[in-house]
Amino acid sequence: MNIFRLTGDMTHLLSIVVLLLKIRTMKSCAGISLKTQELYVIIFLTRYLHLFVKYISVYNTVMKLIFIGTSLGIVWYMRYHKVVKQTYDKDQDTFKHYFLIPPCFILALLIHRSFNVTEVLWTFSIYLEAVAILPQLILLQRSNNIDNLTVHYIFLLGAYRALYILNWAYRFFTENHQARWIPAWVSGLVQTALYADFFYYYVKSWKNHEKLKLPA
């Protein structure tokens, strides 16, 4: 494992900790898109299906179980916790996220490393993750009052993907051809590009010591 992969994993884990901290301490999920969180449940379940048939390492297994468990827990809080669910911005979180699933799955059937169940589902998860942040970014544009924990959560989520691009670049030059699969690179670049506008306003608000506000 290289430093970019490790840093990316830790940044991803930190983003989840920040989100759970917001939900647990503030008893609020205001500003968080349930649609994006539901897409992440699908992403982790399909990506880590091989967890039950293939052992890689303790670290690998633990991290995957954490990502699956926390994503399910976040959706549960937002849907069923008697206090937290009342703070969900349902009227603002209206992106039709289920429309993203069929094209990503069809693309995975057409473009993949090898044609078997686990590889196709892994590829599907890569494509879906590239666009899963869209409901969250749209909700952010519509929100008038964005708290700092929500902003930091989204920043860390974007930073994790940017670090994974560096991880892939490192592996391209140091590992075998499996790390040189171009569609995964393109998906990562697309996902990071979607964060570009947010990153700009995040840095701007930090420099000016003001609350972040995305243009509508």
Side-chain angles (χ1 to χ4, degrees):
M1 182 188 300
N2 63 73
I3 187 64
F4 303 114
R5 165 76 183 277
L6 180 61
T7 308
D9 284 348
M10 292 302 105
T11 303
H12 191 187
L13 185 60
L14 183 58
S15 74
I16 294 171
V17 169
V18 168
L19 179 54
L20 285 172
L21 183 66
K22 168 190 168 71
I23 292 173
R24 290 281 296 173
T25 60
M26 299 176 64
K27 293 292 188 292
S28 170
C29 63
I32 300 299
S33 169
L34 175 61
K35 308 295 181 64
T36 286
Q37 298 306 319
E38 287 176 340
L39 289 176
Y40 275 120
V41 169
I42 296 171
I43 288 164
F44 292 137
L45 287 176
T46 53
R47 181 174 302 173
Y48 301 142
L49 184 66
H50 67 275
L51 184 65
F52 303 101
V53 295
K54 183 180 179 181
Y55 175 79
I56 298 175
S57 68
V58 173
Y59 172 85
N60 189 278
T61 301
V62 169
M63 291 298 288
K64 289 174 179 178
L65 289 174
I66 287 173
F67 291 141
I68 291 172
T70 52
S71 64
L72 288 168
I74 289 165
V75 168
W76 180 87
Y77 264 106
M78 295 183 70
R79 278 193 171 276
Y80 302 113
H81 190 279
K82 62 181 181 180
V83 177
V84 175
K85 70 178 182 180
Q86 295 177 23
T87 65
Y88 170 50
D89 304 320
K90 184 177 181 179
D91 294 336
Q92 300 287 342
D93 191 22
T94 57
F95 187 93
K96 302 293 191 296
H97 64 316
Y98 42 80
F99 285 148
L100 297 173
I101 298 172
C104 290
F105 187 70
I106 292 169
L107 190 60
L109 289 172
L110 297 173
I111 306 174
H112 45 260
R113 290 188 300 190
S114 60
F115 192 69
N116 60 63
V117 173
T118 55
E119 280 296 329
V120 169
L121 289 178
W122 179 87
T123 305
F124 162 70
S125 77
I126 293 295
Y127 295 151
L128 186 60
E129 188 175 14
V131 293
I133 196 62
L134 281 172
Q136 179 62 69
L137 293 177
I138 291 172
L139 176 60
L140 212 58
Q141 286 182 319
R142 295 172 176 173
S143 301
N144 295 320
N145 188 22
I146 310 168
D147 63 85
N148 287 333
L149 286 177
T150 299
V151 171
H152 295 329
Y153 160 68
I154 299 169
F155 173 78
L156 289 167
L157 205 56
Y160 132 71
R161 294 312 299 171
L163 285 164
Y164 254 65
I165 290 177
L166 296 177
N167 163 57
W168 290 332
Y170 177 85
R171 293 179 64 192
F172 181 87
F173 294 106
T174 60
E175 295 184 16
N176 61 34
H177 68 281
Q178 292 290 336
R180 304 182 184 184
W181 195 61
I182 302 302
W185 283 61
V186 173
S187 298
L189 289 170
V190 167
Q191 185 177 0
T192 305
L194 290 175
Y195 283 95
D197 194 49
F198 172 83
F199 284 152
Y200 170 76
Y201 286 101
Y202 179 91
V203 173
K204 183 179 178 182
S205 66
W206 175 74
K207 286 178 65 177
N208 296 333
H209 303 286
E210 58 187 22
K211 277 203 166 188
L212 183 142
K213 175 73 176 171
L214 294 182

